[in-house]
């Protein structure tokens, strides 16, 4: 087991023979609030373990099959950038320790990560540049607030090209989740097409993985390729401003 401390997280990397009920041999990166940031199947290193990156990959491939340029906020172990190694990724990660562990423990070998705040870095990018912006950033309190505001989503819209999309990974409840509904409503003010998906849970009150995609053009997806995610309808929420 390895442990590293940053100004934002206590980070632990450990090996286990069981992960969410599945037997095998896994290496896991976890933050101090028990939030798993990534996992590697040591018996099948190319396999993508978690459902949400598999669903994100499908949304990317089906909506823009020939995409080239992606901006990511939140590195983790670099799952999606590693899968699309032939594409141009620029990744913003707040913690240098996370990047270092992704290289030494999970085999991440690309030189495309910038250490710093994702919003600040994105604001310096050229307009109309990216096919996709992926938001997969978490602190102990959840998705950082400054990455959920109307002003931020306006910035993302300006950095995407005419067929671009933003894909957001959230944790929350499908029903009556004030923050998730607010993020959905705020995003919908900027993007003409928005869809939301969730992994099934035991009950509506359970915290679960939620994906929201905003796009400048109609959104395509095939349910059978969404790794268990199904489309949901989120409620109306308040606007989030800086």
């Amino acid at each position: 087991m390895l442990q590293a401390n940053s100004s934002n997280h206590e980070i632990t990397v450990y090996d286990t023979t069981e992960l969410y009920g599945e037997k095998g041999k896994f290496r896991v990166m976890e933050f101090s609030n028990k939030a798993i940031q990534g996992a590697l199947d040591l018996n099948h290193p190319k396999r993508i373990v978690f459902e949400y990156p598999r669903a994100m990959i499908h949304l990317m491939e089906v909506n823009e099959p020939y995409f080239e340029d992606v901006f990511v906020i939140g590195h983790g172990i670099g799952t999606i950038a590693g899968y699309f190694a032939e594409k141009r990724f620029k990744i913003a990660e707040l913690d240098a320790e996370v990047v270092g562990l992704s290289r030494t423990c999970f085999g991440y070998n690309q030189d495309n990560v910038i250490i710093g705040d994702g919003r600040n870095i994105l604001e310096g990018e050229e307009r109309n540049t990216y096919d996709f912006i992926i938001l997969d950033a978490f602190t102990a309190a959840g998705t950082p607030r400054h990455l959920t505001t109307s002003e931020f989503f306006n910035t993302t819209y300006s950095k995407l090209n005419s067929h671009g999309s933003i894909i957001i990974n959230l944790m929350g409840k499908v029903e009556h989740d004030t923050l998730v509904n607010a993020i959905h409503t705020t995003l919908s003010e900027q993007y003409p097409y928005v869809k939301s998906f969730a992994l099934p849970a035991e009950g509506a009150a359970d915290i679960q993985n939620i994906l929201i995609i905003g796009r400048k053009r109609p959104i395509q997806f095939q349910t059978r390729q969404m790794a268990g995610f199904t489309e949901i309808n989120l409620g109306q929420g308040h606007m989030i401003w800086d």
Side-chain angles (χ1 to χ4, degrees):
M1 184 171 71
L2 287 174
Q3 286 190 314
N5 291 304
S6 74
S7 57
N8 301 290
H9 302 287
E10 179 183 291
I11 309 159
T12 304
V13 174
Y14 62 89
D15 290 352
T16 180
T17 57
E18 183 173 343
L19 185 63
Y20 295 128
E22 181 184 350
K23 303 289 187 181
K25 190 177 180 183
F26 304 98
R27 180 164 295 163
V28 177
M29 180 187 287
E30 184 177 278
F31 287 170
S32 51
N33 59 347
K34 302 300 181 185
I36 292 179
Q37 300 304 301
L40 179 67
D41 184 337
L42 293 171
N43 293 325
H44 306 282
K46 292 189 179 298
R47 175 193 168 208
I48 297 177
V49 176
F50 293 139
E51 295 93 344
Y52 83 86
R54 298 205 303 267
M56 283 183 165
I57 286 167
H58 169 65
L59 289 172
M60 295 169 76
E61 291 180 330
V62 76
N63 283 290
E64 191 58 36
Y66 305 107
F67 77 89
E68 289 294 334
D69 294 285
V70 183
F71 190 94
V72 181
I73 301 178
H75 178 61
I77 65 170
T79 299
I80 293 178
Y83 179 85
F84 290 118
E86 76 285 0
K87 305 291 188 179
R88 289 188 294 267
F89 273 68
K90 181 175 283 189
I91 302 168
E93 170 55 51
L94 207 53
D95 282 318
E97 292 82 359
V98 168
V99 181
L101 289 170
S102 77
R103 297 188 187 284
T104 58
C105 301
F106 297 90
Y108 192 78
N109 59 8
Q110 298 188 60
D111 185 23
N112 54 9
V113 186
I114 301 172
I115 304 302
D117 178 79
R119 177 168 171 174
N120 290 342
I121 296 168
L122 182 63
E123 286 172 350
E125 296 296 298
E126 295 291 327
R127 295 173 62 89
N128 307 315
T129 296
Y130 289 101
D131 299 293
F132 291 99
I133 295 172
I134 295 175
L135 175 57
D136 189 20
F138 290 94
T139 67
T143 304
R145 187 183 184 280
H146 73 297
L147 302 179
T148 65
T149 65
S150 179
E151 292 87 347
F152 171 69
F153 290 141
N154 182 61
T155 296
T156 66
Y157 193 91
S158 73
K159 305 303 182 181
L160 290 166
N161 57 35
S162 62
H163 42 79
S165 309
I166 181 173
I167 306 176
I168 306 171
N169 181 37
L170 300 172
M171 297 299 295
K173 294 177 286 187
V174 171
E175 296 182 8
H176 311 301
D177 190 310
T178 302
L179 179 57
V180 170
N181 288 343
I183 292 171
H184 176 264
T185 296
T186 305
L187 184 75
S188 298
E189 288 294 311
Q190 295 289 344
Y191 286 82
Y193 302 96
V194 176
K195 287 185 180 293
S196 305
F197 307 88
L199 277 179
E202 293 296 322
D206 290 345
I207 300 295
Q208 59 202 99
N209 243 154
I210 295 172
L211 296 179
I212 304 179
I213 177 172
R215 194 163 190 256
K216 297 186 177 184
R217 296 184 179 182
I219 297 164
Q220 309 296 324
F221 72 96
Q222 298 171 359
T223 300
R224 61 186 173 82
Q225 300 291 336
M226 285 293 292
F229 279 82
T230 57
E231 188 174 8
I232 58 172
N233 293 312
L234 294 172
Q236 185 72 19
H238 63 272
M239 289 289 293
I240 305 173
W241 304 96
D242 282 348

